[in-house]
């Protein structure tokens, strides 16, 4: 993984829009993913994550705008198909083949597929090569799909909510297996999840979408320092809130408040806030993404507050 | 070491501090090769870019030096640099906080110094 110097763009989207009937699932999305990074695609239910991933993977055609994968349009494209694997819940395989036969068939298509790794993972996760995909439980099906995803070693590996249905232990093992294989065989990985805290440590970048639009695209490390929480007496907090954009606010009762603002406070302002008895706290990436994608800055509490 | 994802400290800082501790305790000595970003990524289950950020902080502070194509190595003055940094930054901040808290609680300077002495003899006493 030689960074530095020239980086190849694996995915390029310009003004990408997808319309289903009257709803805009994706609205004018533009971004670029460079080679050999793990990027997390984060968004709420219905934000357009799956639609975006399906367009990139060539399963759906965009309504307007441009999408390039390995510099080519992915829809009906053999070069893209041979270098990309899309792993999601709906993966369907011929019912007449058992898991071992599915892997063999996949190996004829994906030339980098590591059969030995696939079998070792199957064995570790207690999957039998003679089982049939349709006979597996939901969690086991997801596990098998992710094994195909890792061992195929495609230049672009796309996962849509790969861990749905898996138990906590399997999820952890899967992300560790993915990271280990990525370190050994660097490749571009795009991974959607609504459980950010589960994946944030292995991500290099994050792409956050909200209602079909790109909200932010930045390094994971920068996201963690993007916002700061202020907590203290409402009188002092209100003054701080007036001067800046509030990302989230919550009343803690008895005259106390908690607000989240952009982390652009100067050292002097931090000192000043502390002297006013305000507590400053980091905001986890997971919470921040929820706050940023809430419809209102009070979140669910706003539904119940009628004052 | 187990990384703390909820800490105020970013992961790459935690990595840098762990490496500093390894150097202070002489587990890794001058001119020895330090862990690569990939080894650290694997050890701590983090993205290699995050690990690289931790290594680069130490390179900027001249605790590590790069050998083209071979990786990063510990400098001659690494231990000294880390110790003086911890003393002048980390320890100083702790002392300021300590004095502030004592002031807040109306603890006199003499009383505070006595408390420091007691704590010190208690810790050193335990070691005997």
């Amino acid at each position: 993984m030689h960074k530095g110097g020239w980086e190849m763009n694996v995915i390029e989207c310009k003004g990408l829009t997808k319309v289903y009937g009257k709803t805009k699932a994706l609205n004018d999305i533009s971004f670029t993913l460079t080679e050999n990074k793990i990027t997390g695609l984060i968004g709420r239910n219905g934000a357009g994550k799956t639609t975006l991933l399906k367009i990139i993977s060539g399963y759906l055609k965009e309504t307007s705008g441009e999408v390039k994968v390995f510099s080519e349009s992915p829809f009906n494209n053999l070069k893209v198909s041979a270098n990309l694997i899309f792993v999601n819940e709906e993966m369907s395989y011929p019912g007449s083949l058992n898991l071992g036969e599915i892997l063999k068939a996949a190996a004829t298509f994906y030339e980098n597929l590591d059969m030995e790794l696939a079998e070792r993972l199957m064995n570790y996760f207690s999957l039998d090569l003679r089982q049939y995909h349709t006979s597996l439980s939901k969690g086991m099906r997801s596990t098998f799909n992710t094994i195909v995803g890792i061992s195929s070693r495609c230049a672009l590996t796309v996962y849509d909510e790969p861990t749905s249905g898996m138990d906590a232990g399997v999820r952890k093992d899967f992300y560790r297996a993915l990271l280990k294989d990525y370190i050994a065989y660097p490749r571009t990985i795009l991974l959607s999840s609504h459980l950010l805290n589960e994946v944030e440590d292995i991500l290099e970048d994050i792409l956050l979408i909200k209602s079909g639009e790109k909200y932010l695209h930045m390094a994971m490390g920068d996201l963690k320092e993007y916002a700061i929480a202020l907590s203290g007496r409402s009188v002092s907090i209100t003054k701080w809130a007036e001067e800046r954009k509030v990302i989230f606010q919550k009343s803690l009762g008895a005259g106390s408040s908690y607000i989240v603002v952009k982390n652009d406070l100067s050292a002097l302002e931090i000192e000043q806030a502390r002297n006013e008895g305000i507590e400053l706290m980091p905001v986890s990436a997971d919470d921040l993404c929820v706050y940023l994608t809430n419809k209102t800055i009070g979140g669910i509490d706003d539904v119940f507050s009628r004052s | 070491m187990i990384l703390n994802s909820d800490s105020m400290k970013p992961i790459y800082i935690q990595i840098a501090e762990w490496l500093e501790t390894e150097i202070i305790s002489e587990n890794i000595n001058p001119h020895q090769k330090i862990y690569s970003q990939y080894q650290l990524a694997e050890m701590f289950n983090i993205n290699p870019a995050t690990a690289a950020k931790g290594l680069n902080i130490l390179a900027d502070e001249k605790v590590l030096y790069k050998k083209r194509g071979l990786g990063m190595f510990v400098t001659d003055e690494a231990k000294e640099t880390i110790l003086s940094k911890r003393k002048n930054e980390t320890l100083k901040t702790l002392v300021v906080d300590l004095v502030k808290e004592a002031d807040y609680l109306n603890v006199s300077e003499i009383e505070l110094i006595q408390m420091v002495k007691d704590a010190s003899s208690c810790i050193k006493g335990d070691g005997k």
Side-chain angles (χ1 to χ4, degrees):
Chain A
M1 189 164 30
H2 297 283
K3 300 233 159 134
W6 189 69
E7 283 185 333
M8 195 185 82
N9 289 339
V10 174
I11 302 173
E12 286 169 275
C13 291
K14 278 192 206 119
L16 184 62
T17 299
K18 175 74 186 177
V19 180
Y20 296 115
K22 280 180 182 168
T23 18
K24 262 191 182 165
L26 295 177
N27 189 9
D28 196 24
I29 286 195
S30 302
F31 68 93
T32 303
L33 292 193
T34 50
E35 200 179 14
N36 296 342
K37 283 188 178 183
I38 308 182
T39 303
L41 174 64
I42 308 295
R44 305 293 280 269
N45 292 330
K49 299 191 294 290
T50 300
T51 303
L52 179 59
L53 296 180
K54 282 190 172 167
I55 291 174
I56 288 167
S57 307
Y59 285 58
L60 288 174
K61 202 167 172 6
E62 65 277 13
T63 308
S64 62
E66 192 184 71
V67 54
K68 288 266 157 67
V69 177
F70 305 116
S71 310
E72 296 188 19
S73 166
F75 193 72
N76 270 344
N77 187 315
L78 205 57
K79 179 187 160 191
V80 173
S81 305
N83 289 289
L84 174 151
I85 186 157
F86 177 57
V87 178
N88 75 342
E89 262 194 317
E90 300 159 24
M91 271 177 126
S92 60
Y93 304 100
S96 59
L97 302 181
N98 66 29
L99 301 184
E101 288 161 343
I102 292 171
L103 284 173
K104 275 196 196 110
T108 63
F109 195 70
Y110 294 121
E111 56 176 14
N112 295 329
L113 191 136
D114 185 334
M115 190 59 86
E116 200 207 321
L117 175 71
E119 286 178 6
R120 289 165 72 96
L121 287 168
M122 296 272 290
N123 185 36
Y124 177 83
F125 289 111
S126 315
L127 282 158
D128 190 323
L129 292 168
R130 288 160 301 179
Q131 278 174 297
Y132 285 85
H133 199 254
T134 45
S135 70
L136 300 175
S137 72
K138 190 177 175 214
M140 287 298 234
R141 254 199 319 265
S142 293
T143 308
F144 177 75
N145 295 346
T146 55
I147 290 172
V148 178
I150 292 177
S151 50
S152 63
R153 296 217 176 108
C154 285
L156 175 56
T157 304
V158 180
Y159 286 103
D160 189 12
E161 300 285 353
T163 56
S164 73
M166 289 182 187
D167 66 44
V170 177
R171 295 164 113 98
K172 269 197 173 153
D173 282 341
F174 158 64
Y175 286 121
R176 176 130 182 96
L178 183 67
L179 179 70
K180 281 177 88 98
D181 206 57
Y182 163 78
I183 291 170
Y185 300 90
R187 65 198 99 156
T188 307
I189 298 173
L190 178 59
L191 166 75
S192 85
S193 175
H194 39 234
L195 298 164
L196 182 56
N197 58 357
E198 204 173 81
V199 289
E200 61 177 55
D201 287 349
I202 71 162
L203 300 180
E204 180 162 352
D205 286 349
I206 181 168
L207 177 61
L208 178 66
I209 62 171
K210 179 182 183 179
S211 315
E213 291 177 20
K214 180 176 92 176
Y215 197 86
L216 50 85
H217 183 199
M218 57 167 68
M220 194 61 218
D222 295 339
L223 181 76
K224 289 188 171 181
E225 292 167 43
Y226 183 85
I228 190 164
L230 310 178
S231 167
R233 291 179 51 231
S234 304
V235 218
S236 341
I237 295 290
T238 317
K239 188 178 65 84
W240 287 87
E242 268 170 11
E243 297 155 20
R244 32 184 64 80
K245 192 182 177 313
V246 175
I247 297 168
F248 178 75
Q249 68 181 39
K250 190 165 79 175
S251 161
L252 300 173
S256 295
S257 296
Y258 172 93
I259 57 166
V260 173
V261 295
K262 224 177 151 218
N263 188 9
D264 51 10
L265 277 70
S266 64
L268 191 74
E269 286 174 311
I270 289 174
E271 189 62 34
Q272 198 185 331
R274 286 222 172 98
N275 288 339
E276 285 175 33
I278 293 172
E279 202 186 335
L280 291 110
M281 290 164 288
V283 183
S284 75
D286 192 29
D287 284 344
L288 178 62
C289 284
V290 171
Y291 300 156
L292 289 173
T293 53
N294 270 344
K295 275 193 177 154
T296 64
I297 58 169
I300 189 72
D301 282 0
D302 283 1
V303 175
F304 294 91
S305 72
R306 296 188 184 128
S307 58
Chain B
M1 183 189 66
I2 302 279
L3 294 173
N4 180 1
S5 292
D6 299 326
S7 162
M8 185 93 186
K9 272 184 199 149
I11 302 282
Y12 66 92
I13 302 272
Q14 294 183 49
I15 294 292
E17 288 182 351
W18 180 77
L19 291 169
E20 286 179 357
T21 310
E22 289 288 291
I23 294 168
I24 295 178
S25 51
E26 295 177 359
N27 286 338
I28 311 169
N29 293 304
H31 306 296
Q32 272 189 340
K33 193 176 187 302
I34 199 127
Y35 302 101
S36 73
Q37 65 177 117
Y38 304 105
Q39 286 173 314
L40 291 168
E42 151 94 52
M43 284 160 70
F44 295 108
N45 214 32
I46 54 171
N47 190 285
T50 312
K53 220 172 154 188
L55 287 166
N56 285 329
I57 292 179
L58 297 181
D60 290 344
E61 291 173 356
K62 308 241 172 350
V63 166
L64 302 177
Y65 64 95
K66 286 178 196 178
K67 268 195 206 171
R68 193 171 273 272
L70 293 174
M72 291 204 195
F73 294 78
V74 178
T75 59
D76 267 324
E77 66 276 20
K79 191 171 169 179
E80 213 176 309
T81 309
I82 299 163
L83 289 177
S84 97
K85 185 184 82 169
R86 293 237 177 141
K87 190 173 149 190
N88 292 318
E89 290 170 23
T90 322
L91 193 58
K92 231 178 209 166
T93 325
L94 286 170
V95 172
V96 169
D97 285 347
L98 183 74
V99 172
K100 269 191 189 165
E101 181 73 7
D103 192 48
Y104 184 68
L105 299 173
N106 281 324
V107 173
S108 76
E109 212 170 282
I110 298 166
E111 209 179 329
L112 181 64
I113 290 168
Q114 191 53 51
M115 284 172 84
V116 172
K117 280 182 181 162
D118 289 350
S120 174
S121 61
C122 182
I123 290 166
K124 282 169 189 161
D126 278 352
K128 277 173 195 167

